[in-house]
Each structure stands twice: as structure tokens, then as C-alpha cells.
Amino acid sequence: MPAFDPRHTPARADLAAKYLQGKVPVARYVDGSVCEVIEPQAALRAEPRPDSPLLTEALKGERVTVYDTNNEGWAWGQLAADGYVGWLSQNALAAPGAPATHKVTALRTFAFPGPSIKLPPVEALPLGAQVAVTRTQDRLAVTAAGAYLPAAHLALLDVNESDFVAVAERFVGVPYLWGGKTALGVDCSGLVQIALAARGRSCPRDSDMQEQTLGAAVAAGDLAGLRRGDLIFWQRHVAIVRERGSLLHANAYHMAVVIEPIAEAISGIRNSGSEVTSVRRIDGEGLPSKSSS
């Protein structure tokens, strides 16, 4: 049997996704059922416990194929967007609703229960969350669920940002959170993933996956040749080049998203025991678009 990455393989000793039958030996195979994330963001955890490590976050509107549930309110499944596997609270999921038409383009926006921004918000949605908009009213977008959001904070699903680095720059000062993907907390690879998603580019979740699949390799030692949008990789870390002399990254040293001189960042990470492993360049055709993936 070939080796499968457990992060992307919905298989356990007792069951696996039906599509893995004949590929992984388990006791039972199940088809799974598609659900939709209905909370602003839902924690995907390694184990069905609230104190289990956060693997990543699923954003409102994302689809999840659920293969198992337990009696304590947890669902085990695989995210449709990036294929990550883990446990989510069943309270964060529901049967799929109306297909999403728009995505959130602000770092965070509020959803109101009626046509007034003076009403107490019912939830705050992160950048990248998706909603089904049925109409607009007085500069507010009305969703199929009856929520009212500022129309200026939304864009059609097929309208993308022109510069993913500019998206990432908006996160400067956001706290570092292992597994995070929102302005409440983000990690290094989550920042890359959410910024590229805003650009309309699909992207794996973890830095090692990103290093293996994104763009094309360029000379890692040629700091003078770096361009805006290049990705610098270390073991278990990634940063985004802003310009020839500076980079942007979410990191645990500063516990925040920060801008640093490239040479200073490389030196600091070297002092902690890690060297640059590669630099990847993302050109216009460097990544498959979501529509083609």
C-alpha cells in the first residue's frame, strides 16, 4: 500500500472514506455526508475534545464531508477547500443551504439581524467567509438566511484581489495563533493560504505542503534577486517577500504578524537553529486557480 498523508486522508483504523476502498485497509468504508460550516469560523481539531490541538479553521460557507460523529457532539470529516481532515463541533455544521454568491473581503465584518447597523450584530465574519446574497437594501446585502451585511465588505465569488501580498499586509499586528486563519489569530501558512485564496489561487494548508507545490524554485541565496510575492521557506515556517529588503510573516517569536528586514529575519531564524530551505516564486500562472482545481 502507498503511504498517505494523514492530514489529507480520511482514514482511521476503524473506518475510512468510501473512495479509499482498496487503497487503505480498514474495517469499514463510508460514503459520508456533505455539510456546511455555519459559524464564522470552526476549529478543526486533532481529537474530539475542545482542548485538542487546533489543526486549522474552516470558514463560514465552506463544505465538509462528514464520515463519523460521536455522542459528544463532534464530527470527523474532510474540508472540501484544502482537503484537511479532523474533528469539528457538530454545532458548527448544518445541511448545505443556498449556494454562496459572495465572499467577505474585509478583515472582519458584522452581520446584523435587520436593516440597521445600529442593531446588535449577530456574528462577525472573517475575510474569506462565504454567504448567499439574495438582494441589496440601502447599502446592505441581505443573505438567504436573513442577515444584513455591509455590501462594501463583500465581493462576488469570482472577483479576486490583484495582489495577494497586499492582502497579507492587512494582517500586520494580528496575533499569532497556531492553526489560525482569521484576524483573531493566524499562523504563517494560514496567512499565505488566506491571502492566496483572496487572489483566487488554491493553496495547501501547511508550510511543507506549500513548499512542495507552490510556484517554482528560485535561488535561495540570491537575496538581491527576490521579488514581491516570493515565498521564503524554513523547516515548518514560511514568509512572504514584500520588496527586495523586507518580508512579512506570522511568527511565534513576535507572537504576531510583522514586517521585518529579510536579512534580520533570516539571521534570527538561523540563531534558533533553522536555515532557509527554499524560495518559491509565484507568477501569474504559478498556481492553479480554484475554478480549475
Side-chain angles (χ1 to χ4, degrees):
M1 291 286 181
F4 290 93
D5 189 330
R7 295 171 293 180
H8 280 171
T9 310
R12 310 182 322 220
D14 59 329
L15 66 84
K18 186 77 170 180
Y19 72 82
L20 292 172
Q21 191 165 2
K23 299 178 181 179
V24 294
V26 298
R28 182 166 60 98
Y29 300 92
V30 295
D31 288 320
S33 58
V34 176
C35 296
E36 178 180 335
V37 176
I38 57 172
E39 292 188 349
Q41 66 260 4
L44 186 82
R45 300 194 180 277
E47 300 292 340
R49 309 187 314 270
D51 61 347
S52 177
L54 178 65
L55 299 176
T56 186
E57 292 178 307
L59 306 184
K60 187 181 183 74
E62 283 194 48
R63 297 297 199 260
V64 183
T65 301
V66 173
Y67 296 103
D68 188 29
T69 59
N70 67 17
N71 294 328
E72 297 179 347
W74 292 90
W76 182 72
Q78 183 172 32
L79 304 183
D82 61 20
Y84 227 103
V85 175
W87 291 90
L88 302 99
S89 169
Q90 292 184 57
N91 291 333
L93 303 174
T101 60
H102 289 68
K103 58 188 175 184
V104 175
T105 56
L107 277 184
R108 208 155 193 89
T109 192
F110 291 113
F112 301 94
S116 172
I117 61 172
K118 296 181 181 179
L119 294 171
V122 293
E123 60 184 3
L125 302 184
L127 175 74
Q130 298 183 3
V131 293
V133 173
T134 59
R135 60 190 173 90
T136 57
Q137 176 181 332
D138 297 329
R139 299 169 62 193
L140 294 173
V142 186
T143 71
Y148 291 73
L149 290 84
H153 290 174
L154 303 176
L156 291 167
L157 293 181
D158 61 357
V159 174
N160 298 314
E161 298 278 354
S162 60
D163 180 0
F164 85 92
V165 182
V167 176
E169 288 171 334
R170 290 158 57 191
F171 282 80
V172 170
V174 166
Y176 178 86
L177 174 66
W178 181 275
K181 281 180 58 175
T182 78
L184 294 179
V186 67
D187 65 13
C188 64
S189 55
L191 179 64
V192 171
Q193 187 186 52
I194 200 68
L196 283 172
R199 177 67 180 85
R201 301 289 185 177
S202 56
C203 175
R205 178 58 179 90
D206 293 342
S207 61
D208 64 318
M209 303 174 184
Q210 294 170 357
E211 185 173 18
Q212 293 165 9
T213 62
L214 296 183
V218 298
D222 182 17
L223 298 186
L226 293 176
R227 300 179 188 171
R228 182 176 177 86
D230 285 350
L231 301 178
I232 305 177
F233 290 93
W234 295 261
Q235 187 177 11
R236 297 185 296 275
H237 189 60
V238 60
I240 304 168
V241 175
R242 295 179 63 244
E243 54 192 11
R244 186 168 297 176
S246 69
L247 57 72
L248 170 79
H249 60 155
N251 67 91
Y253 179 80
H254 296 95
M255 286 305 295
V257 178
V258 298
I259 293 171
E260 285 190 279
I262 292 176
E264 182 177 307
I266 289 176
S267 176
I269 295 174
R270 177 182 294 122
N271 290 338
S272 69
S274 183
E275 297 286 347
V276 172
T277 55
S278 71
V279 176
R280 309 288 296 184
R281 176 156 297 156
I282 302 176
D283 292 322
E285 299 300 322
L287 294 171
S289 66
K290 284 188 171 180
S291 61
S292 64
S293 61

